[in-house]
Every structure is written in C-alpha cells, then in structure tokens.
Amino acid sequence: MDFLGSIVFLCLFSMGFCQESMNINHLDPDLLPRPLIIEFSESRLKNMSDDIAIHCTSWRVAVEANNLSPWKTIPKECADYVKDYMLGRSYNVDLEKVSKESGIYAKSLQLKGDGMDAWVFDIDETLISNLPYYSDHGYGSEFFNNVQFDKWILEGAAPAIKPSLKLYEEVLSLGLKIILLTGRNENKRNVTITNLKHAGYHKWDKLILRQNDREKSAAAFKSEKRKEITEEGFRILGNSGDQWSDLVGTSMATRSFKLSNPMYHIP
Amino acid sequence: MDFLGSIVFLCLFSMGFCQESMNINHLDPDLLPRPLIIEFSESRLKNMSDDIAIHCTSWRVAVEANNLSPWKTIPKECADYVKDYMLGRSYNVDLEKVSKESGIYAKSLQLKGDGMDAWVFDIDETLISNLPYYSDHGYGSEFFNNVQFDKWILEGAAPAIKPSLKLYEEVLSLGLKIILLTGRNENKRNVTITNLKHAGYHKWDKLILRQNDREKSAAAFKSEKRKEITEEGFRILGNSGDQWSDLVGTSMATRSFKLSNPMYHIP
C-alpha cells in the first residue's frame, strides 16, 4: 500500500505540475503578472499608434486649413502616415470630393457668356501628379532637392490627377476660359505643354509660368498674375490649387478650392 | 446479432449525424458555403465602416479647408463619426494644435507697442464651447433650432475652450488688444459677458455683437466690422474663429486661424 500510495501521489503530483505548466503556457492574464505587463506593452503600442494617427491627422488637417507656418518637411513621426495616406484610398477620396464640390459650384454659375468667365488652375499636384517622384523621395520627409525634381519635371511624365481632369473637362464644357497659373519656370514651358497634353489637357486660354523672380513668394506672384488677369477683364469665378499660396492674397477667385497635399508646402 | 447490429448502426448513424450537426453549428468557413457568405457580409461591414471613416474624414477636412458650399446639417451617415470626433481625443488635439500654432505666430510678432496691435476672436466654438448643447442635439445632425439654442445661450453656462483660453492669455500678455467679434445678437451682451467671465475671460478692448441685420451673411457682417476696426487704426495681426465666415472677406487679419468645427456651418 505504501508503494501503491507513492505511485498515486506521484501521479497526482505530476498531474498537478502538468496543470501548472499549462497555466504558465496559457499565460492567463487574470492569474499572472507577466501577461499583464505584456498586455500593457501591447496596449501602449496600440495607443502609441493611435496617438501618431491622431497627431498626424491633426497635422494634416492643419495643413489643409492653412493653420501652419511655412514648413520644409513633414514631421518625422508622420512619414509612414503620409505615405499611407497618399497610397491608400484617402488621398483619392479627398481629390474626388474637391473635384465634385468644384463641379457642383461650376454648374451653379450664371455665366455672362462674353468669354470672360474664367477658372484658374494650378498645375503640379492640381492637374498633374508628381507622386511618382515623391514616392522615390520619402513622400515629403526629405528636404526638397530642386536639381533632382527638375530632372523629373523634364521627363514630362507626370500623370493626370483623374478627378481634376474630370473637373477641367466640366469647366471647359460649361464655356469658362481655362487659365493655368503655375510656379514652374518659363524655361519649362515646352515640357509642361507636352506633359499636360499627354495627361489629357488639350485646351487653355493662358498658360502663365514664372520668370526668374524667386525673391517673391508664390502667393505674391500668383496674386499679381490674378490682378493682371482681372485687369484684362476676366472674372475669376473659380480657382483650384493644392497650395494655399495658389489661392490667397489679392484678386482672389469668387470661390477657391484647396486640393489635398500633405507632402510639401510652398509659401 | 441482427438486433445488436441495428443498435450499433443506430449508434454510428447518430454519431455521424451528431458530428454533422456540430459542423453546422461551428459553421466552419473552410467547409460550408454559408459561413463564407457570413464572412463576406462581415468583411463588407468592416469595409463599410472603413468607407464611412474615410468618407467622413474627407468631409470633415473639406469643411476645414473651406471647400464646401453652405450646409445645414452634417451628412446623416457621419453622425456617429462626428460624435466620436467631438467626444474622443481628436477634437481636443486639433484645438491644442491651432492654439499652439497661433501662439507661436503671436510670439513671433514685432509689435509697434502703440496699443493698436490687435487680435480678433470669435466667441462660440472659439473661446467658449456649446458642446453641452450640441451633445443634446445630435452633434450637428439635427436642424438648428434657434429658440432652443437661445435658451441654452441665456443660461450663460458655456465652458471655456481651454486651449483658446491659453492662447487668449498669451496674446493678452504680449500686449495685443483683444477684440471679440461675434454673430450673437446685441440683446445677448450681458449674458455673453457673464459667460465669458465665468469661463475665465476677463479683459478685452471691444466686444462687438450683431444688430438685427440678419439679411447680411456673417462673412459680410464681420468684414464690415473688421473694416471699421482697421479704420480706427487697429492692425489686425491675428484672427481666430471656428467658421470661415469669421476669417475671410475683406480687411482680413495678417494671419487667420481656423478652429475645428464639424457640427455646424455659418455662411
């Protein structure tokens, strides 16, 4: 019986031990402190990523609401966020929204029909996209390199921003004059025309590029040009641009539309 | 043996049936078509909720970027989204961001020190919050009811927007004159003063309320008042408001700051 008793004890002991091992392997969060620490870390990680998403969305909305001072690169911690935004559905949904809103407004206009009703479009990140370039340059997390960017521009390969092409076609079919006003330098005129045509933009009344007057802000340059346009008799009823410097200043359009761009800022 | 055979057959049959029932109850997605349909629905639901989040964020950004035509209520499908935004961390993070950016700008200013440097603040959803009212009225998903809203205003119980109180104190301490410019009616002057003081705002140079001139847009009213202010000799260096109609038009501030507000729109 003593021997039998020992065997039974051993059996029960191993079963108990086995049970305890299983508990450890399960890492029951209600029983052991270790899983609670793991849970805490995981929850911190989750919160961290929530924090980043909230912080970077807040930053992006501040960009779109024109609340920020001039900035040279996107915040470091938002590099992945901006990449996800640009490559995911959100950027395109935003572009479609602004195109749709602009179209509704354009169609609501009572045009005078004297050929002086006009819509101003910016070019880069408004009609055509440099996303292929920026995808090779950190989506705005690298400092702007104008030599490399010029190389890309000279390829003339920037694709159309499809929702903007749709708006352009609507605006054109309504009988508004199209005025293209860009910060691109005059020496890029030919490649810009080639690129625009290749992307599906075939008609415009004016294509205004910039002389070598870089001491002036883009907002000042574009205000000045809008003034000249209105002095010619044009009524600028709409203006589309991805930079606030495309839209604000003087001789502003009756309505301006800000296309999303969290990758770079031009004052 | 025949009887015993029948019993064994019955047992095996029931076990098999039982096994099949269990499979159905488990709804093994790899075995049956039905769970695949359920999976499809679940994935649709998940996508739908992603779609809603992307769509409503896009709508909210369009509000903040001033891309929308006048709207009377938030889109129905965004009711929960806006509620989550207002009650979650995002709204407060956005308010803190705009307060911080405004503060950085205010501190960077070279003031003339002649007592004519000024900062214009809107009141509702800028200095004080009507969130307690809107939380009882669907966060912007109900049509605006001015009788009920006036009742709330007359309680004088709107709490301070803390990040704006911080900015107000900074702007005040820098020596700028504070001008409060609100669409509230002149007959709310006393309760507005009581409410502002109760919320921590104790000093301002002007409190401009509105006469009974409701045919004018808020943007026109505020532009007119800013014109009068500048004609008095004030330089409006900053302007904070939750509506674009607080900020745009004529006699605009050197810099304007748009506080987030997806609940309502005042043209």
Side-chain angles (χ1 to χ4, degrees), chain B residues 194-211:
Chain B
T194 309
N195 197 148
L196 283 167
K197 294 201 165 179
H198 188 252
Y201 302 93
H202 294 283
K203 205 182 157 186
W204 48 81
D205 206 67
K206 286 176 188 293
L207 167 58
I208 306 169
L209 297 101
R210 201 165 167 170
Q211 304 297 333

Side-chain angles (χ1 to χ4, degrees), chain B residues 73-135:
Chain B
T73 60
I74 60 175
K76 263 186 194 165
E77 67 279 14
C78 297
D80 286 343
Y81 170 89
V82 170
K83 181 183 173 184
D84 287 356
Y85 170 77
M86 295 304 294
L87 300 185
R89 279 185 296 156
S90 299
Y91 178 51
N92 201 50
V93 166
D94 284 351
L95 292 175
E96 277 172 359
K97 175 145 224 86
V98 70
S99 166
K100 195 182 155 198
E101 289 292 329
S102 312
I104 290 170
Y105 164 70
K107 277 171 233 149
S108 78
L109 289 167
Q110 298 287 327
L111 301 183
K112 290 222 174 154
D114 58 356
M116 300 310 274
D117 300 303
W119 195 289
V120 173
F121 285 97
D122 167 57
I123 294 182
D124 292 292
E125 268 56 73
T126 299
L127 293 184
I128 56 178
S129 173
N130 298 303
L131 194 50
Y133 172 84
Y134 283 98
S135 70

Side-chain angles (χ1 to χ4, degrees), chain B residues 24-52:
Chain B
I24 289 169
N25 287 338
H26 281 162
L27 294 172
D28 185 339
D30 297 319
L31 292 175
L32 294 171
R34 203 154 29 144
L36 291 178
I37 294 164
I38 291 166
E39 265 202 346
F40 174 66
S41 307
E42 274 171 354
S43 123
R44 261 184 66 101
L45 261 176
K46 196 184 165 295
N47 284 337
M48 193 80 91
S49 120
D50 273 2
D51 284 350
I52 288 286

Side-chain angles (χ1 to χ4, degrees), chain A residues 110-118 174-177 205 230 232-237:
Chain A
Q110 299 287 325
L111 302 183
K112 292 223 172 151
D114 59 356
M116 301 309 275
D117 300 303
L174 288 166
L176 284 124
K177 290 286 163 67
D205 208 66
T230 52
E232 281 180 55
F234 285 104
R235 294 172 294 277
I236 307 176
L237 302 176

Side-chain angles (χ1 to χ4, degrees), chain B residues 61-264:
Chain B
V61 175
V63 169
E64 296 310 319
N66 200 20
N67 280 339
L68 298 190
S69 299
W71 48 277
K72 285 201 189 298
T73 60
I74 60 175
K76 263 186 194 165
E77 67 279 14
C78 297
D80 286 343
Y81 170 89
V82 170
K83 181 183 173 184
D84 287 356
Y85 170 77
M86 295 304 294
L87 300 185
R89 279 185 296 156
S90 299
Y91 178 51
N92 201 50
V93 166
D94 284 351
L95 292 175
E96 277 172 359
K97 175 145 224 86
V98 70
S99 166
K100 195 182 155 198
E101 289 292 329
S102 312
I104 290 170
Y105 164 70
K107 277 171 233 149
S108 78
L109 289 167
Q110 298 287 327
L111 301 183
K112 290 222 174 154
D114 58 356
M116 300 310 274
D117 300 303
W119 195 289
V120 173
F121 285 97
D122 167 57
I123 294 182
D124 292 292
E125 268 56 73
T126 299
L127 293 184
I128 56 178
S129 173
N130 298 303
L131 194 50
Y133 172 84
Y134 283 98
S135 70
D136 286 339
H137 293 86
Y139 302 91
S141 57
E142 293 175 14
F143 279 109
F144 182 70
N145 182 318
N146 66 321
V147 177
Q148 287 184 13
F149 187 68
D150 273 11
K151 252 194 205 169
W152 153 256
I153 290 288
L154 291 173
E155 289 178 27
I161 289 181
K162 292 275 166 64
S164 296
L165 182 56
K166 188 170 175 284
L167 173 67
Y168 160 89
E169 281 162 357
E170 281 170 358
V171 167
L172 204 56
S173 74
L174 287 166
L176 283 123
K177 289 287 161 69
I178 305 276
I179 298 173
L180 309 182
L181 177 51
T182 173
R184 286 186 176 206
N185 198 287
E186 186 62 58
N187 65 16
K188 309 270 177 1
R189 180 175 288 273
N190 287 343
V191 72
T192 300
I193 292 172
T194 309
N195 197 148
L196 283 167
K197 294 201 165 179
H198 188 252
Y201 302 93
H202 294 283
K203 205 182 157 186
W204 48 81
D205 206 67
K206 286 176 188 293
L207 167 58
I208 306 169
L209 297 101
R210 201 165 167 170
Q211 304 297 333
N212 279 326
D213 55 355
R214 292 288 155 183
E215 71 291 345
K216 211 179 284 172
S217 72
F221 160 70
K222 295 205 167 183
S223 289
E224 201 176 85
K225 290 299 161 189
R226 283 196 305 270
K227 187 163 178 275
E228 288 174 23
I229 293 162
T230 51
E231 280 169 357
E232 281 182 54
F234 285 104
R235 293 172 296 275
I236 307 176
L237 302 177
N239 188 3
S240 302
D242 67 294
Q243 300 290 320
W244 278 98
S245 55
D246 296 328
L247 311 171
V248 296
T250 52
S251 306
M252 283 170 64
T254 311
R255 264 191 77 183
S256 298
F257 295 92
K258 170 70 177 73
L259 280 75
S260 173
N261 185 356
M263 297 190 300
Y264 61 86

Side-chain angles (χ1 to χ4, degrees), chain A residues 99 126-127 160-170 199-202:
Chain A
S99 165
T126 299
L127 293 184
I161 289 181
K162 292 277 169 63
S164 296
L165 182 56
K166 188 171 174 283
L167 173 67
Y168 160 89
E169 280 162 357
E170 282 170 358
Y201 302 94
H202 293 284

Side-chain angles (χ1 to χ4, degrees), chain A residues 50-51 54 57-61 64-65 67-69 89-90 93-94 97-98 101 244 255 257-258, chain B residues 50-51 54 57-61 64-65 67-69 89-90 93-94 97-98 101 244 255 257-258:
Chain A
D50 274 2
D51 285 351
I54 290 172
T57 302
S58 186
W59 174 81
R60 186 169 71 78
V61 175
E64 296 309 319
N67 280 339
L68 298 190
S69 299
R89 279 186 295 157
S90 300
V93 167
D94 285 350
K97 176 145 223 87
V98 71
E101 289 294 328
W244 279 99
R255 265 192 77 184
F257 294 92
K258 169 71 175 75
Chain B
D50 273 2
D51 284 350
I54 289 173
T57 303
S58 186
W59 174 81
R60 186 170 71 77
V61 175
E64 296 310 319
N67 280 339
L68 298 190
S69 299
R89 279 185 296 156
S90 299
V93 166
D94 284 351
K97 175 145 224 86
V98 70
E101 289 292 329
W244 278 98
R255 264 191 77 183
F257 295 92
K258 170 70 177 73

